[in-house]
Structures are given as C-alpha cells and as structure tokens.
Amino acid sequence: MSSTINENATATSARPREQAGKRAQPGWKVIMKRELAAYFSSPVAYIVGCFFLLFSGFTLFSTFFIIKRAELRNFFQMLPVIFSLFIPALTMRVFSEERRSGSFETLLTLPVSTADVVTGKYLATLSAALLMLVPTLSYVLTCRIFGSPDMGPIVGGYIGSVLLCAAFTAIGLYASSLTRNQIIAFFVAFAICIVLSAISNFAVLLPGSLVSFASFISASSHFESIARGIVDTRDIIYFISLAAVFFVLTVRSIENSRKG
C-alpha cells in the first residue's frame, strides 16, 4: 500500500517537471515573440508600413494607366531603392533602442546565446518587413482586373522581394548593433543598401576592370534577374550569402559588446 502511495507521489511530482520541459521554448523563439510584441505595440511598424504602401503605390499607379499595360515592372524595378529606405527605418531601433534605454545590458545577461538573440531579433524584424509586402498583393489583383499579366515575372518578383528583404534586414540589424543612436543606424544601413541597389546604374562610369565586380555585388542586378521570372541559383545564393555575412557580423558585434 505504502509502495503504491510512494509511486503515485513520485509520478505526481514528475508531471510538473515534464510539463515545464514541454513549456520550455528555444531562446531565439522567446526573443522573437518579445520583439514582435514590441513592434506592434508601437506606432513605428504601422507608420513605416503606411508610407511604404504610399511610395510603392505611387511608383506603380503613376504610370499604370499611361502605359496601358497590366504589369508590375515599375513596382519591382523601384523596389530595391524603396526597400533601401524603409527596411532601415524598421531595423534602426532593434539594438540601438536597447543600448539607449539601458536594457541592452540586461539582454546580454539572459541565459541565451548571442546567436539566439540575433536570430530572434532577425526573424521578428524580417516578419515585420515581409508583412509590408502583403498588401501589395492587391496590385496583382488590379493587374488581373485590367488585363492579363504574365504571372511568371510577378511570381519571380515576389520571390526576389523576399530574398531582397532578408538580405537588407540583416544589413539593418548589423547597423543597429554598432551604435545606440537610431539615426546613425538608419543612415549606415541606408548607405549600404542604396550602394548595393544603385551601383549597377553607375557601372558605365567605372573602369572596365570593375564593371563585372559592380554587377556581381549589385543587389538590383540579381533582383531584376529573378523579377524577370528567371530563378537562377546564383542569384539565390547571392542573397542568402549577403544575409549570412551580415548576420555573422551582427553576432560578432554583439559578442564584442558582451566581452566589453
């Protein structure tokens, strides 16, 4: 009888531990949820999203009825430049605000790895950035109403948009990890993104030996290739590599802050 009672007591005491184990979440997931809650509890994400839609909508519809072609070419053509402006506006506060408010030191003392911190913040910011793209699907519906667009370039354009967004978000996160000043973080990220977006436009001014290099590092060149409906693995590798490089740089930057 007593042995049965002991067994039941042991089983009962083991249940909370099992339930606690089930409830435990990876560190990056906790950081991601915290960051998403911070985004959507402040007006920043909504303001940036509204202005993004205004700019992108103007880019599309300013010539939509003039050229009388149901296509999203103008929208996708200007998207790298538009992203260069609006993604840094989303990312500038990610680490800079933590440094300014003093909560950065608290963040560094949490029992999570630096990679978990950066991963959680990166995925949250990327999710917020991709949400800006969702309303632009109405542009596709508009094209379908007024014509019969080729869906290949449109699908390719949105695939390229996701990859471009992933790369520019990593750049913005790195810039934010360097300073406590959000304005400086914005301009550093903007400068890097706009150079990658516009460098191919100035390739004709460069020496012949640098033209191929400028084309290779140009985000616009790789994006436009995908937006034409030609999904080349080299373009995909470019964006993944760009995101990975700046992700690693961000981890290094945060680790240096931890050591400091």
Side-chain angles (χ1 to χ4, degrees), residues 133-148:
L133 274 176
V134 174
T136 68
L137 293 173
S138 62
Y139 303 163
V140 181
L141 180 60
T142 304
C143 288
R144 298 279 292 181
I145 291 172
F146 289 98
S148 302

Side-chain angles (χ1 to χ4, degrees), residues 108-137:
L108 297 183
T109 60
L110 294 176
V112 292
S113 66
T114 304
D116 278 343
V117 171
V118 177
T119 299
K121 286 183 173 286
Y122 174 75
L123 291 176
T125 312
L126 178 59
S127 299
L130 291 176
L131 280 174
M132 292 195 306
L133 274 176
V134 174
T136 68
L137 293 173

Side-chain angles (χ1 to χ4, degrees), residues 35 91-100 104 107 117-118 121 173-174 176-180 250 254:
E35 197 67 22
T91 61
M92 64 182 183
R93 56 161 292 280
V94 175
F95 288 110
S96 298
E97 177 65 20
E98 300 264 14
R99 289 179 183 274
R100 188 193 63 79
F104 186 69
L107 181 67
V117 171
V118 177
K121 286 183 173 286
L173 227 65
Y174 172 65
S176 183
S177 73
L178 298 176
T179 176
R180 68 177 59 214
T250 306
I254 301 302

Side-chain angles (χ1 to χ4, degrees), residues 3 18 20 35 47 54 60 79 84 98 142 145 170 190 192-193 195 206 223 234 253-254:
S3 62
E18 290 176 2
E35 197 67 22
I47 293 171
L54 284 174
L60 174 65
L79 196 58
S84 297
E98 300 264 14
T142 304
I145 291 172
F190 172 74
I192 297 172
C193 292
V195 166
L206 298 174
F223 174 74
R234 289 173 295 183
S253 176
I254 301 302

Side-chain angles (χ1 to χ4, degrees), residues 154-188:
I154 291 176
V155 172
Y158 276 102
I159 291 173
S161 299
V162 172
L163 294 170
L164 183 68
C165 195
F168 280 10
T169 298
I171 292 171
L173 227 65
Y174 172 65
S176 183
S177 73
L178 298 176
T179 176
R180 68 177 59 214
N181 190 309
Q182 294 186 39
I183 305 302
I184 294 175
F186 170 80
F187 279 109
V188 169

Side-chain angles (χ1 to χ4, degrees), residues 67-83:
I67 61 176
K68 296 181 179 180
R69 282 187 295 188
E71 60 183 19
L72 298 181
R73 183 180 300 177
N74 283 349
F75 167 66
F76 289 127
Q77 192 172 18
M78 289 299 299
L79 196 58
V81 175
I82 296 174
F83 270 172

Side-chain angles (χ1 to χ4, degrees), residues 9-79:
T10 304
T12 303
S13 62
R15 281 171 194 160
R17 289 197 297 269
E18 290 176 2
Q19 291 173 355
K22 289 178 182 178
R23 286 196 298 268
Q25 295 181 343
W28 64 265
K29 196 170 183 179
V30 175
I31 298 291
M32 178 182 173
K33 288 182 176 180
R34 170 179 173 268
E35 197 67 22
L36 281 173
Y39 264 118
F40 296 108
S41 61
S42 74
V44 175
Y46 303 101
I47 293 171
V48 172
C50 287
F51 275 100
F52 170 78
L53 289 176
L54 284 174
F55 270 73
S56 61
F58 176 78
T59 300
L60 174 65
F61 293 110
S62 60
T63 59
F64 186 83
F65 295 103
I66 296 174
I67 61 176
K68 296 181 179 180
R69 282 187 295 188
E71 60 183 19
L72 298 181
R73 183 180 300 177
N74 283 349
F75 167 66
F76 289 127
Q77 192 172 18
M78 289 299 299
L79 196 58

